[in-house]
Amino acid sequence: MTAALGAVLLALAAYVIQGTVHTTRATEQQSHVLKIDALFSETRIAIAMEEVNLRHYQIEPSVAVKQRFDQVGKSADDLLAELAATGPGQTREDALRLRAEHDDFHALAERQMTLIAESDSTHIRLDRLEVTPAFYILQDDIDEVSRTVHEAAQKQVEQLRLTQLRLLIGIVVGFGVGLTLAAIVLRIVLGHQRRLVEQAEASRQQALHDPLTGLANRTLFASRTKVALAGLLPGGDRHVALMIVDLNGFKAVNDTLGHHAGDQVLQEAGRRLSDAVGADGVVARLGGDEFAVLLPRVATVSAARETAGQLVEELRRDFLLDGRPAAVSGSLGLAFGLMHGTGEDELLRHADAAMYRAKANGGGVEVYDVDTDTEMPERMQLFAELRTLLETGDPAAQLQLHYQPQVRLSDGAATSVEALVRWQHPERGLLPPATFLPIAEQRGLEVRLTYHLLGEAVRQGARWLAEGLPYAVAVNVSPRCLIDPDFTAVILAALRDAGLPPHLLRLELTETSIMADPDRAVSAIREVREHGISVSVDDFGTGFSSLVQLRLVPADELKIDRTFVRDLGSDLSGTTPDAVMVRSAIDLGHNLGLSVVAEGVEDLDALRSLRAMNCDYAQGFALSRPVPADQVADACARAQSIVTNLITSITAPA
């Protein structure tokens, strides 16, 4: 019996060992095939993103887009190189072939980018005849290879299951020969089997999920999006909504609080997004501070927009990092299946374009719009160049301020100047503000531009003060600055750094900027005036719908818009509507305790009329055109001489 049990033990042990070896080998093969499958999937996504960045470069030929293109191109090449180095025979051949096709496509794309950068229109023909065909050849080939590898992976899974089944049957047979021995062996085998399954599941988890947040990665998200779009029918009762979310302020957290704090923000952002969309949605981290959200079954477009708004609100809540709050917000781009694209790559690209528009507008939600998100290349190039200037601090001083004197009409003293921006473009020459300011306003750069120019203006004012020329400097302020919580702090910091007294800075605000949000605007104006900074209401006569609003604005100065002043010199009777408007505006400003400036004065007759109406100050071509800083002293002297001579001619006896 003992010998029989020993024989059974030996036989059963041999069987278990053999089964374990087969299981281990099958598991290793499965893991290797799954890894190859994941590498090919990542390669496919990288190549798709390479093409996305190429298309993005066509509409926004910037250094940042080129860098992203090079980065994903290198990623694709590295993945193919790894497959060629580690894969078995057929995999190595496929990887080498795909790498050669990728090199061809990348070289053509590089050539096209060079043509775009040189504004060579032949890039369109190159794209149609060579670049696009090369991409689709590469894409079709890698799709076929990925499909073949995926099928092989599934076969390996089935083989592992069959091996495990055979092992289990052998163990059950052993139970009949020696229950005690079989129980012990079964426990050992089942424990080992469990570990193998857990290892396989862990490998799958790592291949399809982001290691930091635990969310789906780009590969899994693309797969889920493809499945959702495949079941979408035109005119059906459901929609597929895809969102790209980018965190605003994340870089500041990383730079000031460290990468650990940045990781905490990413983890918490992922948790908030997942909680908000629930079990029906898919949330993925695409990389960096960029997330994607898929709603595969949403009833209406408005419901998707409502959900998108909720996601942005969730991100707007303060993030607590080791007990300290950090302000991070979100920019969200939204695109709908079939409506904005039929494939996962196209939908991702369009949602990404909408996200960039939302980011340019200061955050919030934007839905993809083919007309808005496909701008003229020239405007996109100017936007990209202006954004680069502001991000780098304009080291070459391309953004230049010219200054126009403002002269007091009672005695001819030139007491202040208005700062007006010009762009000394290295290729286009000196650009007037009308060329680039609308782009800055539409694309969300106006706040940064205002603060940059404000810093330049107060530094120049401090230099004049040191030279014994205490000119007050007037700076135009963007409407969005008034709702920026850092508005006052930025201005005070600029004055402190430059050493300019607050009373020598005047902020010019248009009527329309104040009317956009009167309560917040008035609050911001009161705050800066408490520090001794004066405020001027610019373009008066073109924006207020009620004089009650003007009465509530705590301003120091009123500037009459040039549209009412430019023809004043040709009105000898002083009874035209423009003359009546100017006289009324002067009286109104004085009654409210404000000094009054007339801008756009183009001739001496207009100056004479304004002085007769008791206007306090004048500004315009009749006195001086805007001039560079080094010519301001001479321009002010000439303007002062013009007004002084005019006063003399008026007061001299007949």
Side-chain angles (χ1 to χ4, degrees):
M1 187 66 178
T2 303
L5 287 176
V8 170
L9 178 60
L10 289 175
L12 186 58
Y15 185 85
V16 171
I17 291 172
Q18 183 183 16
T20 302
V21 170
H22 283 305
T23 302
T24 303
R25 185 181 299 117
T27 302
E28 292 174 349
Q29 292 174 349
Q30 178 202 11
S31 178
H32 186 63
V33 172
L34 283 175
K35 180 180 179 182
I36 291 175
D37 186 18
L39 288 174
F40 272 119
S41 297
E42 290 181 25
T43 304
R44 179 180 177 275
I45 296 299
I47 291 172
M49 289 307 299
E50 192 174 2
E51 196 267 348
V52 167
N53 281 287
L54 173 60
R55 300 306 169 199
H56 193 174
Y57 190 86
Q58 290 178 345
I59 61 175
E60 184 183 345
S62 67
V63 173
V65 176
K66 180 63 167 62
Q67 288 175 345
R68 290 198 296 271
F69 170 81
D70 292 335
Q71 182 179 0
V72 294
K74 183 178 184 303
S75 175
D77 188 73
D78 290 344
L79 289 167
L80 289 171
E82 181 179 352
L83 285 165
T86 61
Q90 185 59 47
T91 299
R92 185 180 300 108
E93 293 177 7
D94 290 339
L96 291 173
R97 183 182 69 257
L98 288 170
R99 194 178 186 192
E101 293 173 0
H102 175 258
D103 289 342
D104 292 341
F105 165 70
H106 193 83
L108 288 170
E110 289 274 7
R111 180 180 165 197
Q112 184 182 5
M113 284 183 169
T114 300
L115 293 176
I116 292 172
E118 295 173 351
S119 301
D120 190 338
S121 62
T122 59
H123 76 86
I124 299 175
R125 186 170 183 272
L126 177 66
D127 182 31
R128 185 177 67 253
L129 298 181
E130 296 186 52
V131 177
T132 299
F135 171 73
Y136 283 121
I137 290 172
L138 175 59
Q139 187 181 52
D140 290 345
D141 197 358
I142 196 169
D143 284 346
E144 181 61 28
V145 171
S146 296
R147 190 159 41 248
T148 302
V149 171
H150 186 71
E151 291 173 357
Q154 295 301 315
K155 289 180 181 178
Q156 288 292 335
V157 172
E158 292 299 324
Q159 184 63 38
L160 176 60
R161 291 175 180 171
L162 181 59
T163 301
Q164 292 171 342
L165 179 61
R166 289 173 179 171
L167 180 61
L168 185 60
I169 292 173
I171 295 172
V172 172
V173 172
F175 263 58
V177 180
L179 184 60
T180 303
L181 182 61
I184 297 173
V185 172
L186 180 61
R187 181 177 301 175
I188 296 173
V189 172
L190 288 180
H192 185 63
Q193 177 184 346
R194 213 169 23 248
R195 286 193 299 272
L196 292 175
V197 172
E198 289 172 355
Q199 290 172 1
E201 181 61 29
S203 297
R204 183 179 182 277
Q205 178 76 10
Q206 292 174 359
L208 298 177
H209 291 79
D210 174 56
L212 176 63
T213 62
L215 300 173
N217 63 11
R218 188 183 292 273
T219 301
L220 181 57
F221 186 81
S223 175
R224 295 285 178 84
T225 304
K226 186 175 183 179
V227 171
L229 291 173
L232 196 59
L233 299 176
D237 59 352
R238 71 179 180 93
H239 298 270
V240 171
L242 190 149
M243 309 174 193
I244 299 293
V245 185
D246 187 83
L247 301 183
N248 305 323
F250 175 76
K251 184 178 183 299
V253 172
N254 249 354
D255 293 344
T256 57
L257 302 181
H259 292 289
H260 175 67
D263 290 346
Q264 288 181 299
V265 168
L266 294 174
Q267 291 168 341
E268 175 63 13
R271 186 192 65 77
R272 293 185 188 183
L273 294 174
S274 298
D275 290 347
V277 301
D280 293 335
V282 179
V283 179
R285 181 185 174 214
L286 301 183
D289 61 347
E290 193 170 75
F291 295 83
V293 177
L294 174 68
L295 301 180
R297 297 187 64 86
V298 62
T300 63
V301 171
S302 59
R305 294 192 63 148
E306 182 178 351
T307 300
Q310 292 172 355
L311 296 181
V312 171
E313 287 301 317
E314 284 294 318
L315 295 175
R316 190 171 285 126
R317 291 190 292 112
D318 281 350
F319 288 72
L320 292 178
L321 306 175
D322 298 328
R324 294 178 295 178
V328 176
S329 61
S331 299
L332 188 148
L334 176 60
F336 293 94
L338 297 189
M339 186 187 306
H340 299 138
T342 57
E344 64 271 24
D345 293 338
E346 183 181 17
L347 211 56
L348 274 167
R349 187 167 64 250
H350 289 168
D352 192 58
M355 182 275 291
Y356 273 105
R357 177 156 50 90
K359 197 171 187 68
N361 291 333
V365 178
E366 294 290 347
V367 179
Y368 176 75
D369 180 81
V370 65
D371 295 326
T372 305
D373 294 318
T374 309
E375 296 186 1
M376 294 295 291
E378 183 177 352
R379 287 175 59 83
M380 289 295 294
Q381 184 174 356
L382 275 179
F383 163 71
E385 292 172 345
L386 181 58
R387 181 176 62 184
T388 300
L389 282 183
L390 296 175
E391 288 176 349
T392 58
D394 189 17
Q398 294 183 31
L399 296 174
Q400 301 177 358
L401 287 176
H402 287 200
Y403 300 87
Q404 188 171 38
Q406 297 175 345
V407 181
R408 190 162 55 212
L409 295 181
S410 61
D411 58 6
T415 59
S416 56
V417 293
E418 180 181 2
L420 302 167
V421 66
R422 306 289 188 267
W423 184 355
Q424 187 61 54
H425 195 280
E427 297 175 359
R428 305 169 190 259
L430 190 65
L431 299 180
T435 304
F436 58 92
L437 286 185
I439 298 174
E441 293 169 357
Q442 294 165 9
R443 304 289 290 178
L445 295 178
E446 69 270 40
V447 174
R448 277 192 287 175
L449 180 59
T450 297
Y451 290 158
H452 176 80
L453 298 178
L454 175 74
E456 292 295 322
V458 297
R459 283 190 291 272
Q460 181 57 54
R463 286 191 288 269
W464 282 325
L465 182 62
E467 296 170 3
L469 301 171
Y471 297 130
V473 182
V475 180
N476 291 281
V477 174
S478 162
R480 291 196 181 183
C481 289
L482 295 178
I483 59 176
D484 180 10
D486 297 327
F487 177 57
T488 303
V490 170
I491 294 173
L492 293 178
L495 289 170
R496 182 176 61 253
D497 294 343
L500 184 70
H503 72 275
L504 291 180
L505 174 63
R506 182 182 305 124
L507 303 180
E508 294 199 357
L509 311 168
T510 63
E511 294 185 50
T512 51
S513 68
I514 297 172
M515 289 299 296
D517 191 341
D519 292 338
R520 295 178 69 175
V522 169
S523 176
I525 293 170
R526 284 202 179 103
E527 188 174 0
V528 297
R529 289 186 76 245
E530 288 174 357
H531 293 279
I533 301 166
S534 60
V535 174
S536 175
V537 178
D538 199 7
D539 300 338
F540 178 71
T542 62
F544 277 104
S545 58
S546 171
L547 292 177
V548 174
Q549 299 292 344
L550 176 60
R551 180 174 58 85
L552 298 177
V553 175
D556 301 280
E557 181 182 88
L558 197 67
K559 292 191 75 173
I560 304 174
D561 187 69
R562 67 182 63 249
T563 56
F564 303 104
V565 177
R566 62 190 175 196
D567 296 328
L568 199 60
S570 60
D571 176 23
L572 300 179
S573 65
T575 58
T576 63
D578 283 348
V580 173
M581 177 64 188
V582 171
R583 185 180 295 106
S584 299
I586 293 171
D587 292 340
L588 176 63
H590 288 163
N591 289 334
L592 291 174
L594 308 177
S595 60
V596 181
V597 180
E599 59 180 346
V601 180
E602 298 186 358
D603 54 67
L604 294 180
D605 289 333
L607 271 177
R608 188 177 288 105
S609 297
L610 288 167
R611 190 174 188 279
M613 295 177 185
N614 293 321
C615 184
D616 300 301
Y617 296 90
Q619 172 185 349
F621 289 173
L623 300 170
S624 173
R625 292 182 175 272
V627 297
D630 59 356
Q631 300 177 24
V632 164
D634 292 339
C636 287
R638 287 194 298 272
Q640 182 169 330
S641 175
I642 291 171
V643 176
T644 302
N645 291 337
L646 177 68
I647 294 173
T648 301
S649 67
I650 294 174
T651 58

